[in-house]
Amino acid sequence: MSESMVDTNKQANIQDSLKRTVSGFSAYTMVVGTVIGTGIFFKPQAIFEATGTASLGLISWLIGCFLGICGGLIIAEIGALIPETGGLMTYIEKIYSKPFGFMVGWAQTIVFYPIRKAASAVVFGIQTVALFGLDTKYSIPIACTLTLYLFLINILGNKIIDYSISIATILKFVPIVLIIIFGIFLNNNPTPVEILPITSNAHPFIKGLSISVISTLYATDGWINITNIAGEIKDPQKNIPKALIGGLLTVSIVYLIINVAYLRAMTPAEMAVSSTVGSDVAGKLIGEFGRKIVAAGILISILGSHTGFTRASWRVPYALALRDWLPYSSWFTKVNKKNMPVNSGIFITIVTVAATIFLPDFNILTDIGSYVIWVFYTMAFIGLFILRKRWPNAERYYKVPLYPFIPILGIAGGIFVIISTTFVQPTIALLSIILVLIGMPIYYFKVKKQSDTQKVVE
């Protein structure tokens, strides 16, 4: 094995204290439970608003699911090759350079995870006030309360988190199964699903496809989270690929089927103006009682997904601090008696609550998060070719099937997302880039400080 594959954390003087306690099944349920959360119930609004037709909406879902599977297949090989805490940040660092690795970790710490968690919390608040008939002014306080509650759950340790995610994953299939059964099999008055035309005059093809695909990428995202806890997964070389591939196939099948059920209950125009598509469809298919049952199930779905994102998010500032790339790194690496990086969790929680309060628009939040993370996903996809050449003799427990076609398709999809979003949503792109780049002065300050300290020691 190449010397460059040595555990990155050993480069720093701060010890990695996390233990391998997460089973393969728990990793699988984390993929399914984290990915299936808010997007399956709330993103149809943005997708069909952008596309205007059933055909283009379903095409967008197919593209999003396909890119998610491609990404999972690629990252599974890289993750099995580099089974360390930090996930994507560690991969980019080893493939390219430390500055790029820092940029990933910083982007995930400041942008991706807080914004993704804030988006989940916002829709949880919206769904809660709708379910219980509360004043909409309570939605943001409820969202912030959810984030604080999940902070408390996560400090209790991996066993409690695994139980919470597993139970929520099982229960979240209640609303999904009900919508599919009543929408497809027990629907006596289905809405006609019009395959043609594919586009409408009011919705330009490229713009509609760009906005809708990035929305589906939000809904299919979250699979990368298990790589953040790779240092805590038992037998990671085998369990990471199994969890990623099995989880993403499960998610893709569920997403495509439930969207057919949606379209048999509501037209694209009706979904385009509904902020709570899942519960609204249930109301039409099953009645008011059914709507409430499904709405409660949706809340459980969001709870499970948010729990997984919370666990994964804490590991990123922890991994940055192990490299001494953050101010007060020793504070960020503190773990509690349950072996959880609690101080990193405190920081992520504060940033998440701030994003919830100051950026309460669900679709803006999700578009920022998706744009940022897909820049680095695409770099990782390209990186697979680099690793195959750099470490040709390394033992690979799993290899991407249909190589090099799958990585090429993943790269092409990533480039489409980046370019189209940059031109169609330039404000989202500019804000994302600024948030990422403002961290670089911190990195170079810390590196210079480490260098000066080393010179004094010598």
Side-chain angles (χ1 to χ4, degrees), residues 38-364:
T38 58
I40 190 172
F41 301 113
F42 295 91
K43 270 301 178 180
Q45 184 267 333
I47 290 165
F48 289 104
E49 181 183 26
T51 61
T53 66
S55 294
L56 193 55
L58 289 175
I59 289 171
S60 300
W61 278 110
L62 281 169
I63 293 172
C65 289
F66 179 74
L67 288 177
I69 291 172
C70 286
L73 291 171
I74 298 165
I75 295 298
E77 178 173 333
I78 299 174
L81 193 62
I82 312 172
E84 300 176 22
T85 299
L88 186 62
M89 179 188 77
T90 301
Y91 308 156
I92 296 297
E93 176 190 353
K94 285 182 176 293
I95 294 168
Y96 296 101
S97 66
K98 291 181 179 180
F100 277 118
F102 172 84
M103 286 176 67
V104 176
W106 176 263
Q108 289 181 315
T109 298
I110 299 298
V111 185
F112 177 70
Y113 279 114
I115 281 180
R116 176 75 191 229
K117 280 161 50 60
S120 294
V122 165
V123 294
F124 185 90
I126 292 171
Q127 187 70 46
T128 301
V129 298
L131 175 61
F132 295 103
L134 303 175
D135 192 306
T136 55
K137 69 181 181 181
Y138 294 114
S139 63
I140 297 302
I142 290 171
C144 294
T145 301
L146 173 67
T147 299
L148 295 174
Y149 166 75
L150 291 177
F151 169 81
L152 297 176
I153 290 294
N154 271 262
I155 66 174
L156 297 177
N158 276 323
K159 285 187 177 181
I160 297 297
I161 298 170
D162 287 340
Y163 290 144
S164 300
I165 293 175
S166 296
I167 292 170
T169 299
I170 294 169
L171 292 177
K172 73 174 55 180
F173 275 94
V174 172
I176 292 170
V177 170
L178 285 174
I179 290 172
I180 290 173
I181 289 174
F182 283 90
I184 296 177
F185 302 105
L186 299 179
N187 190 345
N188 295 323
N189 187 28
T191 300
V193 181
E194 298 180 357
I195 302 301
L196 295 175
I198 294 177
T199 61
S200 68
N201 294 332
H203 300 82
F205 178 77
I206 295 298
K207 182 178 181 180
L209 189 65
S210 172
I211 294 173
S212 59
V213 166
I214 202 165
S215 293
T216 65
L217 292 178
Y218 165 81
T220 56
D221 205 1
W223 45 268
I224 195 71
N225 288 340
I226 68 162
T227 65
N228 285 8
I229 63 167
E232 300 164 76
I233 296 176
K234 299 174 183 177
D235 198 4
Q237 288 87 353
K238 295 180 180 179
N239 285 327
I240 288 176
K242 288 180 181 178
L244 280 169
I245 297 167
L248 282 167
L249 285 173
T250 301
V251 168
S252 297
I253 292 168
V254 170
Y255 276 12
L256 294 173
I257 294 174
I258 199 171
N259 272 276
V260 172
Y262 286 156
L263 286 165
R264 285 171 60 84
M266 296 177 71
T267 65
E270 289 173 330
M271 281 191 276
V273 295
S274 170
S275 60
T276 54
V277 171
S279 56
D280 288 347
V281 166
K284 291 189 68 173
L285 294 172
I286 315 172
E288 183 61 20
F289 177 74
R291 185 190 70 80
K292 290 185 177 180
I293 293 295
V294 168
I298 292 172
L299 293 179
I300 294 172
S301 176
I302 297 171
L303 187 65
S305 177
H306 204 344
T307 302
F309 267 92
T310 299
R311 170 160 68 178
S313 67
W314 290 17
R315 273 63 181 176
V316 181
Y318 175 84
L320 283 170
L322 286 176
R323 295 153 172 79
D324 196 20
W325 287 349
L326 290 178
Y328 309 103
S329 287
S330 59
W331 181 83
F332 280 95
T333 57
K334 294 292 183 183
V335 298
N336 65 4
K337 293 180 179 179
K338 294 293 184 178
N339 207 46
M340 303 301 288
V342 64
N343 287 353
S344 291
I346 291 171
F347 180 80
I348 289 288
T349 301
I350 291 171
V351 180
T352 300
V353 170
T356 303
I357 294 170
F358 296 109
L359 289 171
D361 186 294
F362 173 63
N363 287 319
I364 289 177

Side-chain angles (χ1 to χ4, degrees), residues 418-445:
I418 295 166
I419 293 176
S420 62
T421 302
T422 301
F423 285 99
V424 174
Q425 298 173 284
T427 303
I428 295 292
L430 181 61
L431 179 59
S432 302
I433 293 168
I434 290 172
L435 288 172
V436 172
L437 292 181
I438 58 175
M440 294 312 296
I442 296 174
Y443 170 78
Y444 286 111
F445 170 78

